[in-house]
Amino acid sequence: MGRTPCCAKEGLRKGPWSSKEDLLLTNYINQHGEGQWRSLPNNAGLLRCGKSCRLRWMNYLRPGIKRGNFCEDEDDLIVRLHSLLGNRWSLIAGRLPGRTDNEIKNYWNTHLIKKLKNARVEPKLHKNFTKRKSRKQPQKEKSRKKEGKMSNSNNIKGEIVQVEKIKVFAPKPIRISCGISRDNSFENVTLSTTTCSSNSNFEEVDLGNNKDNGIMSNENEVKFFPRDLDFGELLDGDQFCDEFLMGESCNFSNKCSLPMNDYMLEKVYEEYLLLLSENCYIQEDQKEKNC
DNA sequence: AAAGAAGTCAACCGCAATGTC
DNA sequence: TGACATTGCGGTTGACTTCTT
């Protein structure tokens, strides 16, 4: 017996959303919160599949979405983050306040690639960096993955390590959304907008965000990332969501006097530099080893 | 002014990850 | 532990708009 499709295809509307549909969706989510996308269309009186509703909400209707032109800072940041993260649009979007992954992806494909080419910069493709190697994974590869068979290589210290599992160091994405969880608790709201809730000032990050990638056990490979941009610790859930999503300036207990977006960009840029130096360090180290 | 080309971007699709039972 | 459900992600499509000839 096969898996049931996400929605019955018959009788459902496709294509652009009407303002009436937008209104229905917005009203429903305002009343009941996000989640339960499968049953949402029925409950909200929409002839759409749940996926379509989710996409519409996440990319266009959600409060706090920034529309319009990208500024130079954002361009710069996207290019830099892309050179570091590849086509991890959701990760990149998580570092750009109010921008969605879809928007950034489109912007990259339509504007930035051209811009880079004009500047005679080869945009990195990061084909082998992406989480999924291809849409249709060959069965052989699937079973290999399942069995955990991987090729070996030398790490920085010259020890044998598995290389097929890509380990990258990056901050966890900070979702710029009032992510009402399935149980609608604010505890989860704050968690969903922050990186983690541990007491440590540093956090182990796993860009792979993928259990197949695994957590690095070798202490030399475990990297930490400063966690000073933890909004959950600075504001309670309501306050955070209201101030942030309304796009207003905020003052995190006198921690920052910049408007939210500027503050975020500043912090993201700092994180980027840190990542970059981390990357350079690893590459330098590997060069030395190879020599 | 018309036709075709090129650009843009909202939306769709399939797959993988994660959650639940 | 496995099967199924749900969610999220990234690649792709196609309708629409703008530009060029």
Side-chain angles (χ1 to χ4, degrees):
Chain A
M1 200 172 74
R3 181 173 148 175
T4 53
C6 82
C7 53
K9 301 274 179 190
E10 294 94 18
L12 291 185
R13 270 177 57 80
K14 284 173 80 173
W17 280 63
S18 67
S19 50
K20 194 182 166 189
E21 287 176 308
D22 282 349
L23 194 67
L24 279 172
L25 181 59
T26 308
N27 285 343
Y28 183 85
I29 291 177
N30 284 341
Q31 277 180 19
H32 301 93
E34 289 178 32
Q36 301 296 319
W37 297 109
R38 196 184 168 91
S39 56
L40 186 148
N42 257 345
N43 298 339
L46 284 159
L47 288 170
R48 295 275 181 171
C49 82
K51 249 181 170 181
S52 182
C53 294
R54 180 188 158 270
L55 198 75
R56 183 67 183 170
W57 174 255
M58 299 302 271
N59 285 338
Y60 301 97
L61 301 175
R62 200 163 44 126
I65 300 273
K66 195 158 89 180
R67 315 292 309 165
N69 295 343
F70 284 72
C71 65
E72 280 293 318
D73 282 351
E74 286 176 311
D75 279 11
D76 188 49
L77 199 54
I78 293 169
V79 171
R80 287 165 190 272
L81 286 171
H82 185 272
S83 73
L84 210 59
L85 303 173
N87 296 355
R88 300 279 180 91
W89 304 116
S90 62
L91 275 175
I92 295 172
R95 304 237 161 258
L96 280 152
R99 300 293 188 185
T100 68
D101 49 2
N102 206 31
E103 192 180 13
I104 292 171
K105 181 172 59 184
N106 282 332
Y107 187 64
W108 172 266
N109 288 328
T110 56
H111 294 92
L112 290 179
I113 282 185
K114 249 182 281 171
K115 201 172 168 180
L116 290 177
K117 277 181 181 166
N118 287 342
R120 296 182 187 280
V121 177
E122 189 63 34
K124 289 186 180 180
L125 293 175
H126 301 282
K127 282 290 181 194
N128 56 359
F129 189 86
T130 50
K131 193 162 60 181
R132 296 162 193 155
K133 284 185 177 171
S134 66
R135 301 284 292 267
K136 291 203 170 103
Q137 207 173 18
Q139 201 55 44
K140 248 187 193 175
E141 199 174 309
K142 270 189 180 172
S143 55
R144 257 181 84 227
K145 196 173 158 190
K146 215 171 181 178
E147 290 163 23
K149 289 179 184 169
M150 288 165 291
S151 60
N152 292 335
S153 177
N154 289 355
N155 70 355
I156 299 165
K157 287 173 87 180
E159 296 161 351
I160 303 295
V161 294
Q162 295 167 324
V163 294
E164 197 165 293
K165 294 182 176 181
I166 301 165
K167 311 284 194 302
V168 189
F169 316 119
K172 284 180 181 172
I174 299 164
R175 272 269 164 222
I176 310 304
S177 72
C178 182
I180 308 294
S181 66
R182 288 191 217 179
D183 61 4
N184 291 338
S185 71
F186 250 119
E187 190 181 326
N188 287 333
V189 171
T190 52
L191 282 177
S192 72
T193 53
T194 60
T195 49
C196 88
S197 58
S198 89
N199 288 328
S200 159
N201 285 329
F202 291 90
E203 177 189 13
E204 181 185 327
V205 296
D206 173 21
L207 181 65
N209 191 24
N210 175 348
K211 67 182 173 193
D212 283 339
N213 283 351
I215 300 292
M216 292 164 280
S217 56
N218 183 329
E219 63 173 327
N220 292 297
E221 290 178 277
V222 175
K223 300 296 168 190
F224 295 93
F225 207 79
R227 196 172 58 84
D228 55 352
L229 191 65
D230 192 343
F231 302 114
E233 285 179 357
L234 301 166
L235 296 171
D236 66 28
D238 281 315
Q239 197 186 351
F240 171 76
C241 284
D242 288 351
E243 293 193 11
F244 191 81
L245 296 178
M246 296 305 287
E248 291 171 2
S249 302
C250 63
N251 186 339
F252 295 112
S253 315
N254 298 325
K255 187 167 182 168
C256 118
S257 56
L258 289 167
M260 187 60 179
N261 289 351
D262 290 351
Y263 179 72
M264 286 281 292
L265 284 175
E266 291 265 322
K267 297 307 296 180
V268 169
Y269 197 73
E270 276 173 31
E271 289 178 12
Y272 165 75
L273 292 176
L274 202 66
L275 281 168
L276 201 61
S277 62
E278 199 68 72
N279 249 10
C280 291
Y281 167 76
I282 292 166
Q283 282 170 10
E284 285 301 313
D285 235 357
Q286 263 166 347
K287 267 186 202 166
E288 275 176 32
K289 270 287 155 203
N290 290 338
C291 282

